[in-house]
Amino acid sequence: MTDQTNNTGFDWASPSFQSHMKKRRRSQIQLKLLGLGAIAIAFMMLMLLITSLVSTGYHAFTQTHLKVEVFLDPEHLDPAKPARGNYRQILTDTMKTQFPDVPDDRAELRKLTSILSNGAQFTIRDRVMENPDLIGETVQFNVPVADTYDQLNKGLIDPDTPEEYRRLKNDEIANFELLKDRGAITEPLNTALLTNADSRFPELAGLKGALVGSFYALLTCFLLSFPLGIGAAIYLEEFAPRNRVSDLIEININNLAAVPSVVFGLLALAVFLGWFGMPRSAPFVGGMTLALMTLPTIIIATRAALKAVPPSIREAALAVGASKQQVVFGHVLPLAMPGILTGTIIGLAQALGETAPLLLIGMNAFITSAPSTPFDSATALPTQIFIWADSPERGFVSRTSAAILVLLTFLIMMNAIAIFLRQKFERKW
Amino acid sequence: MTMFDVTKPETAVDQTDIKIAASNVQVFYGDTQAIKDVDVDIQDKTVTAFIGPSGCGKSTFLRCLNRMNDTIDSCRVEGRILLDEQDIYAPQVDPVQLRAKVGMVFQKPNPFPKSIYDNVAYGPKIHGMARTKGELDEVVEKSLRRAALWEEVKDRLDTPGTGLSGGQQQRLCIARAVATRPEVLLMDEPCSALDPIATAQVEELIDELKQRFSVVIVTHSMQQAARVSQKTAFFHLGNLVEYDDTNTIFTNPQDPRTESYITGRIG
């Protein structure tokens, strides 16, 4: 075995070294498998979440409608005051003509009109108010049906359930099947989900109020936290002397980023609503609250981005005689901008999904119209999800999932923009 | 002023001018002293080389000459440094203005991530040296010509400076430094990140620059010091050990430490 000893004095072929190598290889493979396993589990969880959301939520993206000929009876309508007409009676008459065999009995007629959504009368009223000349004519309308019939049409009501436990009785189902056989039932895309504000009736409820509210809140949040955050970060990173005070400020900013959001909500409730008497449920106040939360995130991201600018660039600018301010605003800040924007967008995406502070300032109110200014009462997307998840009507189950999908879409879009900005403006030195 | 000037007739006329006079300079980083009692007179229109082993303080001393050390919080400079008989550490001196007068080129080429034109025009722009676009164009061209880069980049002035090769980037940095019409040009190991060909180009350029500026160059390479400089200062452990004509330092050093260093026994 003389060939095993070489001039380095180490035996690379010895069994002990071979087993050592084998052990090293094995632990490397184990680590790799663990990593793959972690990713697989995370991916499965994500898929589970999305599948469950989509499988319940997709029902909300269509809405069953009834195509029906409505005689705009001049007996119940005054052309001078189209808003004051008896539209309920017109609908009852309409349904009576649809089902001539049904006896003319109050309870039976009520059953028939309850096929239609409560919003049907407003659909007709709006059309008449738009064009009062229609009075006396027969016009075709496509109106949403009530939530229970929507559920029936989507197969969410099991006809095998004993009648007394079912929300729709046999005769009601028969009536609906009759309409379906006539081809009067359609199931178009549920545009109301995005164009209507909230409603007690699931078939009429939409996210417009929440979308506009969230937009105003995020806009306020951005306008407040972006300039303040960047300003604070530039001062702390570039101009502030390093001493105990600045250390204390730095520690506190890092702590603020970790404060639970509900605490910011309580603070806003006490200060903005309590002391300053700002309006309740207003997206503007919601935005201010979210800005409190987003501010530390933006400051930390901005400081990290400023720190990442290579010192050679600062030296280069200083050496040609740029002042500190010219160095910061002319060179460092533009180079740090992609990092700052990425951090800001991620901070805003966080703010978009934040619920607790908005609940505390009353942005979970039931509001049936979209806000026209940031100072009007409104909900936001997460609080709207919270309200819907809390509602007993069956239609809100799928609408809650649909709203979550809408929120997730916005979050994914914002994160995609952040990634795009980072890739586009990333510089190599 | 001495007989050595006779051997360099092209600079003999101007060499009597002292551009920078440093006396009794001490530099501290916190509690540690990096430079001890340095006295040195740097002549105008001359290349002065600072040599010495790593950590000997030559770069630190160079950075005192344009007050770049001011940007380091813990750094403290004592003693007197006169530029044209004016104390650059006097309270009425604005370091920002001083740095336009004393240009600097760094070890690693550090062009701004902007166009070649903007890199050179930046200094003149912030100092308001050019009132019109035409004047600025002229300054940019002149500076790039001085840095021997004009012919290579004149057709692509609006392409990013970071896209040039290492040697071109370093010459771009030299152009940027000379664009503010400095009187002194400080170079901190300007060739240590360059290949031999780029190094030769920059050295050639340094030789031309000394017609107009007083050039101070820090270098690790004794060959480079011997090639480009007329005066050489040897630093060791924060002390200026020996300062003399380059020929003298390399052929007849007075101090044993200098001799050890140039013969490769320390460093």
Side-chain angles (χ1 to χ4, degrees):
Chain A
M1 296 293 271
T2 45
D3 57 336
Q4 282 195 1
T5 50
N6 50 33
N7 55 2
T8 61
F10 186 79
D11 183 4
W12 297 99
S14 74
S16 73
F17 181 73
Q18 289 302 320
S19 81
H20 177 72
M21 280 298 284
K22 213 181 265 170
K23 224 191 270 171
R24 265 178 24 183
R25 248 178 253 133
R26 203 181 314 124
S27 74
Q28 188 149 348
I29 289 168
Q30 273 168 359
L31 187 68
K32 201 172 159 189
L33 287 179
L34 275 175
L36 280 174
I39 289 175
I41 290 172
F43 187 72
M44 264 164 52
M45 291 294 182
L46 183 70
M47 280 297 122
L48 200 68
L49 173 79
I50 292 184
T51 322
S52 100
L53 283 175
V54 170
S55 63
T56 50
Y58 82 95
H59 291 301
F61 288 110
T62 57
Q63 165 65 41
T64 311
H65 277 64
L66 174 64
K67 215 185 288 168
V68 70
E69 303 278 331
V70 178
F71 174 56
L72 298 170
D73 195 344
E75 202 178 302
H76 303 302
L77 295 172
D78 179 1
K81 288 182 196 149
R84 301 277 297 277
N86 188 353
Y87 292 98
R88 202 169 264 282
Q89 188 57 49
I90 288 175
L91 281 178
T92 312
D93 294 347
T94 305
M95 291 316 275
K96 209 159 37 178
T97 51
Q98 293 287 319
F99 296 94
D101 305 340
V102 171
D104 198 355
D105 161 66
R106 267 185 79 88
E108 288 296 322
L109 285 176
R110 185 181 289 265
K111 258 185 199 170
L112 288 180
T113 43
S114 73
I115 293 177
L116 293 175
S117 157
N118 193 50
Q121 47 181 322
F122 304 115
T123 314
I124 298 170
R125 184 192 66 183
D126 290 348
R127 181 85 71 88
V128 173
M129 280 169 71
E130 212 174 89
N131 184 7
D133 296 341
L134 290 177
I135 292 172
E137 286 180 36
T138 302
V139 182
Q140 196 186 55
F141 281 91
N142 202 13
V143 291
V145 304
D147 179 43
T148 34
Y149 288 93
D150 186 41
Q151 304 278 319
L152 175 68
N153 189 40
K154 286 169 180 167
L156 297 171
I157 289 178
D158 184 4
D160 296 336
T161 318
E163 195 176 6
E164 63 266 38
Y165 298 130
R166 227 190 288 134
R167 275 173 301 144
L168 287 178
K169 307 303 170 210
N170 287 340
D171 56 334
E172 291 171 317
I173 294 180
N175 284 343
F176 187 76
E177 291 301 329
L178 198 67
L179 289 171
K180 211 170 174 180
D181 291 343
R182 283 187 209 150
I185 299 295
T186 56
E187 203 182 317
L189 213 60
N190 185 11
T191 51
L193 188 68
L194 294 177
T195 56
N196 278 9
D198 199 9
S199 165
R200 269 187 308 123
F201 305 100
E203 70 272 13
L204 298 176
L207 289 169
K208 190 182 176 193
L211 285 170
V212 177
S214 265
F215 172 76
Y216 280 141
L218 272 194
L219 187 70
T220 311
C221 172
F222 173 76
L223 291 179
L224 286 175
S225 60
F226 189 67
L228 271 179
I230 291 189
I234 289 175
Y235 177 73
L236 286 173
E237 193 59 39
E238 304 285 340
F239 296 101
R242 292 266 175 277
N243 55 28
R244 251 197 224 149
V245 179
S246 60
D247 283 350
L248 194 73
I249 291 174
E250 178 160 5
I251 291 167
N252 277 302
I253 287 172
N254 291 341
N255 282 340
L256 274 181
V259 167
S261 55
V262 68
V263 176
F264 287 107
L266 282 169
L267 180 76
L269 178 62
V271 176
F272 297 154
L273 301 191
W275 289 359
F276 298 140
M278 289 184 179
R280 196 183 300 259
S281 310
F284 178 73
V285 183
M288 285 170 71
T289 315
L290 294 176
L292 290 178
M293 276 186 46
T294 316
L295 202 53
T297 313
I298 292 185
I299 293 177
I300 292 169
T302 305
R303 291 188 67 172
L306 291 173
K307 239 181 239 166
V309 174
S312 64
I313 295 293
R314 292 163 204 268
E315 281 189 330
L318 282 173
V320 290
S323 65
K324 182 87 194 172
Q325 181 223 329
Q326 284 169 328
V327 173
V328 172
F329 289 94
H331 297 278
V332 178
L333 196 57
L335 291 176
M337 223 40 182
I340 296 174
L341 287 179
T342 309
T344 304
I345 291 170
I346 287 169
L348 287 179
Q350 227 172 22
L352 176 63
E354 204 53 69
T355 324
L358 300 183
L359 293 181
L360 282 165
I361 59 159
M363 283 190 78
N364 56 339
F366 174 70
I367 293 146
T368 55
S369 61
S372 44
T373 73
F375 305 98
D376 295 339
S377 294
T379 55
L381 273 175
T383 49
Q384 190 66 62
I385 292 167
F386 181 81
I387 297 169
W388 283 359
D390 227 18
S391 301
E393 288 84 357
R394 300 290 298 165
F396 281 123
V397 175
S398 59
R399 276 172 174 77
T400 304
S401 294
I404 294 172
L405 285 173
V406 170
L407 177 61
L408 284 181
T409 309
F410 278 103
L411 290 178
I412 290 170
M413 264 160 51
M414 288 173 81
N415 281 321
I417 292 171
I419 291 169
F420 171 76
L421 285 175
R422 191 160 53 210
Q423 305 245 319
K424 177 143 193 247
F425 295 107
E426 198 170 46
R427 283 186 194 276
K428 309 255 184 291
W429 282 283
Chain B
M1 72 187 202
T2 62
M3 63 174 194
F4 295 109
D5 295 329
V6 182
T7 62
K8 298 191 184 306
E10 76 277 13
T11 52
V13 185
D14 295 307
Q15 264 197 2
T16 47
D17 294 343
I18 290 174
K19 192 70 192 170
I20 297 176
S23 52
N24 202 17
V25 175
Q26 329 265 347
V27 180
F28 301 87
Y29 289 116
D31 293 331
T32 39
Q33 187 163 10
I35 294 282
K36 296 165 199 153
D37 285 326
V38 168
D39 294 279
V40 70
D41 288 340
I42 290 164
Q43 293 171 350
D44 202 6
K45 309 229 175 354
T46 308
V47 179
T48 306
F50 290 174
I51 60 169
S54 294
C56 67
K58 54 194 191 299
S59 285
T60 300
F61 183 70
L62 189 77
R63 286 164 164 263
C64 293
L65 302 180
N66 67 344
R67 292 184 62 173
M68 277 299 272
N69 282 335
D70 287 18
T71 55
I72 301 164
D73 284 340
S74 63
C75 184
R76 191 156 48 87
V77 179
E78 285 173 13
R80 276 208 321 168
I81 300 175
L82 305 181
L83 172 68
D84 289 331
E85 284 159 12
Q86 211 213 338
D87 188 353
I88 62 169
Y89 279 89
Q92 71 271 18
V93 170
D94 181 0
V96 166
Q97 201 190 340
L98 172 76
R99 289 186 200 125
K101 260 186 357 196
V102 183
M104 188 160 189
V105 175
F106 296 86
Q107 188 171 352
K108 214 180 129 228
N110 56 355
F112 300 130
K114 299 179 180 209
S115 73
I116 293 171
Y117 183 94
D118 287 339
N119 260 285
V120 182
Y122 182 70
K125 241 190 242 169
I126 58 171
H127 296 296
M129 286 172 162
R131 262 156 298 151
T132 62
K133 179 85 174 71
E135 269 179 50
L136 197 61
D137 289 348
E138 209 174 295
V139 171
V140 170
E141 181 178 342
K142 209 157 72 183
S143 308
L144 284 169
R145 277 189 194 284
R146 285 209 179 131
L149 192 60
W150 175 252
E151 290 303 324
E152 289 158 63
V153 300
K154 65 181 176 194
D155 299 323
R156 45 171 175 153
L157 288 175
D158 49 358
T159 58
T162 43
L164 296 173
S165 74
Q168 288 174 323
Q169 286 189 18
Q170 195 61 301
R171 280 180 281 148
L172 178 62
C173 294
I174 294 172
R176 182 177 65 193
V178 300
T180 56
R181 281 177 258 166
E183 293 159 18
V184 181
L185 199 56
L186 309 177
M187 297 181 149
D188 191 355
E189 298 181 33
C191 299
S192 63
L194 303 184
D195 64 70
I197 295 170
T199 302
Q201 286 172 325
V202 171
E203 283 180 7
E204 213 171 291
L205 175 60
I206 292 170
D207 206 49
E208 271 170 43
L209 291 172
K210 77 163 189 285
Q211 317 283 336
R212 295 171 190 281
F213 313 99
S214 164
V215 179
V216 185
I217 176 170
V218 166
T219 175
H220 264 308
S221 150
M222 283 175 281
Q223 291 84 345
Q224 184 171 58
R227 282 195 299 263
V228 301
S229 71
Q230 287 80 54
K231 296 287 240 175
T232 298
F234 172 63
F235 284 80
H236 188 241
L237 301 175
N239 293 302
L240 176 62
V241 175
E242 196 167 347
Y243 175 52
D244 210 329
D245 215 85
T246 300
N247 282 338
T248 317
I249 291 274
F250 282 99
T251 55
N252 186 21
Q254 302 301 303
D255 194 286
R257 286 171 291 176
T258 317
E259 197 189 347
S260 311
Y261 181 69
I262 61 169
T263 53
R265 264 175 286 150
I266 59 167

